[in-house]
Amino acid sequence: MRLYILVIFIMLFSSVVFSQQEKCVFFKLVNTSIKNENLNLKMSIENTGDTSLIVYKPSLEAICLSILKVSLIDIESGEIYDVFPCEEVIDLDGIKVNYKDFICLNSHEIFAVNLSFSLNDIVPYLMKNKKYSIRSKFLLSGVDFYPKKEGLVQSDLISNKLPIFY
């Protein structure tokens, strides 16, 4: 009976710790604009927890590795447009991601990055004079990070949506 209670306590404690860890990281689109036939994004990752975290940095390469996904949704029709500035699709299963593209975020620290894409990198091409909603996803759960480190964020992160007019 004591063993049963101990197992239940450990399972509850583990799930609380895991759910709190996921809530410690916020992935946010700060602002967007379209200028000179380029889509400009500012995104941030914030550590709201009390311990340091290791986070993969959003980059153009992360899109080619299918770790970062940026999508625009036509507000009227619901059609989805994906940003893909890559020459080829890289098979993530065959790659071990190392730590050169990571940052350590201390408690309550924010990392912000600006990314710019040609409108020609959006598939299918955007229609002019339309309103879109833009969202980004950081797909970290399926990545084979090597070597594993404590504090590494390995859960998927979904940003807020921002409106944009083209």
Side-chain angles (χ1 to χ4, degrees), residues 97-114:
V97 178
N98 62 35
Y99 288 93
K100 69 179 177 70
D101 294 320
F102 283 78
I103 52 164
C104 181
L105 286 179
N106 295 318
S107 177
H108 303 287
E109 188 176 5
I110 298 173
F111 172 79
V113 64
N114 294 307

Side-chain angles (χ1 to χ4, degrees), residues 8-19:
I8 290 175
F9 175 76
I10 291 171
M11 289 175 58
L12 287 173
F13 179 75
S14 299
S15 65
V16 168
V17 169
F18 181 71
S19 67

Side-chain angles (χ1 to χ4, degrees), residues 146-157:
Y146 182 80
K148 303 278 188 220
K149 291 192 177 188
E150 188 163 333
L152 177 64
V153 175
Q154 286 191 272
S155 56
D156 294 342
L157 306 173

